[in-house]
């Protein structure tokens, strides 16, 4: 073989390999087809729940101003007491069937004993408290935030979607089942924390109670994710079920200096050192990585995505950098792929002509399930290296949750019912915020975060903002979903 022939042979071999790679890629891509078309949207109004009544009930629940504050002394305890009395009065059959306990002052734990106490219980959660309305924005609301107005197919007010809608839907489901004489096969637990919005103590106290009783739920379902009608990956509706949530930690960064008059500054001031340290920390971001819940979500959605997305997801071994770039193009996408850091607060001198004796910054971290608070601290220490700054946690960091299974029987039931209720394909997801259910990871096998509420991405802003509202249709869909879930999982 001469040189030319050898070259040709190599060329053919390379071409052959290339064609083989392309063939494998295409084969993998075509395998990513939707297994079944999403089922028809179940007419939520057809069945067991009276939607108009449920909507009136949610309106009533919104009128109790169960607003939590950073300082619990500012909470108006009487509002919770009225909510509790109202629940008992509105849901008599459910209260007759379940044992009700007050925990940590204002949190509620309901136990509906199952026929078979050997089976692990299931735990359904919601929270009673709401965030305040930002002072000065009350006038921006179309309907007053605490009037609980029901109008034109909507229930208006603070807490309608976060999270009294869920609480009322759970009680509607329990009431309709109890009134029909339903008895669960396994024990059913409802946990309604009273201070979720301030990362409060209620849910943790409930978790400790359950642990002390030797109760280990097979699964927990809480708020946290919903049905996004315009999901960027498929351009259509997707029911996202949260299988993990990020951790939360705030770092306090302090630079100290002698202080003095700003007319005679030393070469380096506390503020300058602090600025260098912030730049060093934010200049060393956590690597973006295509793995964990985000990769699971992409794998679930790819069959319904464009050909290029399918091609990339099916061949992530080759296209991972491309996928990472695509997903990280938006801040919310990037947050799925790594631990984020956001400098949020700065303190220096109290006066413009006084050198500060301490300059302080706070950096808020949202820790990806693959990282830990200790790992964050180690990275920060390496980044600031020899800069003279003190590093402390502001309060106790919350570690990220474990990642729950997408193969368990509980997942199967949830995914089926979620698809049925929403008419949308189902995908696992990572929750960027925090929910009460994070404290249940230690006592439960799997923890899921989902409600079958359909919303567009541009509607999510109202949840802690102005004009929070929930459609009657969504409330009804939620109550029907919980009812079916209780029948299926605890029947
Ligand atoms: Zn909430």
């Amino acid at each position: 073989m001469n040189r030319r022939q050898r070259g040709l042979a190599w060329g053919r071999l390379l071409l052959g390999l290339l064609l083989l790679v392309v063939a494998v890629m295409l084969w993998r891509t075509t395998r990513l087809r939707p297994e079944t078309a999403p089922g028809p949207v179940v007419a939520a109004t057809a069945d067991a729940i009276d939607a108009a009544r449920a909507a009136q009930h949610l309106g009533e629940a919104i009128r109790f101003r169960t607003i939590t504050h950073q300082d619990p002394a500012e909470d108006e305890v009487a509002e919770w007491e009225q909510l509790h009395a109202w629940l008992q009065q509105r849901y008599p059959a459910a209260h007759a069937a379940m044992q009700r306990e007050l925990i940590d002052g204002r949190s509620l734990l309901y136990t509906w004993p199952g026929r078979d106490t050997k089976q692990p219980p299931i735990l359904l959660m919601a929270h009673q408290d709401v965030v305040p309305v930002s002072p000065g924005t009350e006038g921006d609301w179309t309907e007053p935030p605490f009037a609980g107005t029901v109008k034109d197919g909507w229930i208006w007010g603070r807490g309608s979607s976060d999270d009294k809608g869920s609480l009322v839907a759970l009680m509607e489901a329990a009431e309709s089942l109890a009134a029909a004489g339903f008895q669960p096969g396994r024990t059913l637990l409802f946990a309604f924390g009273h201070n979720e919005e301030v990362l409060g103590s209620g849910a943790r106290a409930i978790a400790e109670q359950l642990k002390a009783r030797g109760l280990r739920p097979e699964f927990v379902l809480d708020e946290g994710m919903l049905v996004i009608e315009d999901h960027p990956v498929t351009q259509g509706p997707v029911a996202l079920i949260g299988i993990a949530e990020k951790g939360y930690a705030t770092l306090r960064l302090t630079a100290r200096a002698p202080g003095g008059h700003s007319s005679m500054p030393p070469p380096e001031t506390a503020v300058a050192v602090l600025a260098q340290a912030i730049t060093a920390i934010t200049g060393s971001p956590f690597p973006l990585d295509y793995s964990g819940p985000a990769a699971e979500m992409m794998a679930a959605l790819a069959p319904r995505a464009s050909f290029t997305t399918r091609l990339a997801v099916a061949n992530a071994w080759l296209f991972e950098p491309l996928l990472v770039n695509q997903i990280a193009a938006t801040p919310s996408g990037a947050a799925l792929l790594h631990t984020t850091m956001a400098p949020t607060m700065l303190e220096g001198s109290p006066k413009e002509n006084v050198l500060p004796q301490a300059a302080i910054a706070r950096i808020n971290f949202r820790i990806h399930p693959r990282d830990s608070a200790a790992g964050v601290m180690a990275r920060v220490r390496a980044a600031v290296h020899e800069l003279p700054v003190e590093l402390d946690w502001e309060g106790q960091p919350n570690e990220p949750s474990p990642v729950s299974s997408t193969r368990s029987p509980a997942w199967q039931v949830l995914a089926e019912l979620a698809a049925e209720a929403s008419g949308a394909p189902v995908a696992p997801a990572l929750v960027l915020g925090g929910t009460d259910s994070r404290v249940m990871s230690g006592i439960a096998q799997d923890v899921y975060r989902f409600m079958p509420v359909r919303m567009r991405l541009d509607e999510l802003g109202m949840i802690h903002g102005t004009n929070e509202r929930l459609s009657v249709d969504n409330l009804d869909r939620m109550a029907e979903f919980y009812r079916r879930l209780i029948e299926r999982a605890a029947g």
Side-chain angles (χ1 to χ4, degrees):
M1 230 192 262
N2 64 28
R3 248 174 88 186
R4 196 170 157 274
Q5 282 168 324
R6 246 198 331 261
L8 266 175
W10 272 112
R12 273 195 212 107
L13 184 65
L14 278 177
L15 187 65
L17 279 174
L18 196 65
L19 286 174
L20 186 68
V21 167
V22 171
V24 168
M25 275 168 35
L26 288 174
W27 176 70
R28 294 177 67 109
T29 308
T30 53
R31 279 202 319 168
L32 276 186
R33 274 222 202 88
E35 290 151 24
T36 49
V41 180
V42 173
T45 41
D47 302 308
I49 306 293
D50 180 341
R53 242 177 91 83
Q56 289 306 326
H57 291 167
L58 177 54
E60 289 168 12
I62 288 168
R63 288 173 209 147
F64 304 107
R65 295 171 182 244
T66 50
I67 305 164
T68 36
H69 305 79
Q70 224 53 50
D71 176 5
E74 289 176 45
D75 295 357
E76 287 179 48
V77 178
E79 299 287 332
W80 276 263
E81 288 165 357
Q82 286 167 29
L83 173 66
H84 297 171
W86 174 84
L87 282 168
Q88 284 173 289
Q89 184 220 325
R90 269 288 170 258
Y91 301 108
H95 278 81
M98 303 193 283
Q99 293 147 21
R100 169 188 173 278
E101 293 166 87
L102 267 185
I103 296 198
D104 193 31
R106 284 173 274 160
S107 284
L108 288 168
L109 173 63
Y110 287 95
T111 305
W112 198 342
R115 292 186 305 271
D116 180 0
T117 48
K118 284 191 200 70
Q119 281 195 66
I122 64 173
L123 171 57
L124 308 179
M125 299 178 70
H127 61 86
Q128 308 169 44
D129 62 321
V130 299
V131 296
V133 171
S134 298
T137 66
E138 293 89 346
D140 301 340
W141 287 64
T142 306
E143 299 292 335
F146 291 101
T149 310
V150 181
K151 208 166 119 184
D152 303 329
W154 293 89
I155 306 119
W156 291 78
R158 174 62 81 229
S160 52
S161 50
D162 182 13
D163 189 33
K164 283 178 176 167
S166 178
L167 192 155
V168 164
L170 279 168
M171 290 308 287
E172 295 289 330
E175 182 72 8
S176 79
L177 284 166
F182 173 82
Q183 244 207 314
R186 66 171 73 196
T187 296
L188 180 68
L189 303 161
F190 286 174
F192 302 146
H194 73 278
N195 49 12
E196 191 272 349
E197 297 291 1
V198 291
L199 297 175
S201 50
R204 192 173 295 283
I206 292 174
E208 278 158 17
Q209 272 297 323
L210 298 178
K211 194 177 178 184
R213 293 173 199 177
L215 292 175
R216 188 177 161 74
E218 181 181 340
F219 74 93
V220 175
L221 180 67
D222 196 6
E223 61 164 352
M225 276 286 165
L226 32 73
V227 186
I228 298 293
E229 301 204 270
D230 48 352
H231 196 282
V233 175
T234 63
Q235 314 291 335
V238 174
L240 294 170
I241 301 182
I243 55 170
E245 63 189 62
K246 290 181 106 176
Y248 184 105
T250 300
L251 180 80
R252 194 174 56 242
L253 194 62
T254 312
R256 296 194 192 277
H261 202 283
S262 65
S263 61
M264 298 166 291
E268 202 156 52
T269 64
V271 167
V273 172
L274 184 74
Q276 289 173 55
I278 296 172
T279 313
I281 294 167
T282 54
S284 170
F286 282 76
L288 297 158
D289 187 48
Y290 181 75
S291 68
E296 281 200 63
M297 178 184 76
M298 291 302 290
L301 293 184
R304 288 181 172 80
S306 66
F307 177 78
T308 33
T309 304
R310 251 185 300 157
L311 180 76
V313 171
N315 300 283
W317 54 278
L318 184 61
F319 294 116
E320 193 179 316
L322 210 74
L323 282 165
V324 166
N325 267 343
Q326 275 289 326
I327 299 171
T330 61
S332 59
L336 299 175
L337 300 180
H338 71 163
T339 294
T340 55
M341 46 175 102
T344 50
M345 297 171 85
L346 287 169
E347 278 171 50
S349 157
K351 201 163 182 302
E352 67 187 69
N353 60 355
V354 172
L355 292 169
Q357 289 175 289
I360 302 169
R362 285 174 181 80
I363 304 180
N364 185 237
F365 289 85
R366 301 302 177 101
I367 309 170
H368 192 276
R370 77 174 76 90
D371 297 322
S372 65
V376 169
M377 188 56 98
R379 190 173 188 89
V380 166
R381 275 194 203 292
V384 299
H385 194 50
E386 283 175 342
L387 285 169
V389 286
E390 296 161 24
L391 305 170
D392 304 283
W393 290 125
E394 186 87 29
Q396 181 77 19
N398 276 330
E399 295 290 348
S401 77
V403 179
S404 294
S405 171
T406 52
R407 301 188 193 290
S408 62
W411 168 270
Q412 286 300 332
V413 171
L414 272 180
E416 257 179 66
L417 292 178
E420 193 182 301
S422 67
V426 174
L430 175 63
V431 178
L432 300 180
T435 72
D436 262 352
S437 70
R438 72 188 182 284
V439 301
M440 299 300 172
S441 308
I443 62 154
Q445 197 173 326
D446 286 303
V447 178
Y448 301 107
R449 302 149 185 91
F450 174 71
M451 29 187 188
V453 164
R454 286 176 68 120
M455 276 192 196
R456 291 190 317 271
L457 281 172
D458 66 5
E459 289 177 304
L460 297 179
M462 72 181 177
I463 287 180
H464 279 196
T466 298
N467 279 336
E468 182 176 348
R469 63 198 182 278
L470 184 72
S471 71
V472 175
D473 205 36
N474 268 329
L475 176 66
D476 190 31
R477 184 178 294 120
M478 215 171 357
E480 296 284 359
F481 166 84
Y482 288 136
R483 195 185 138 111
R484 279 179 207 147
L485 177 66
I486 294 168
E487 285 177 318
R488 278 280 296 278

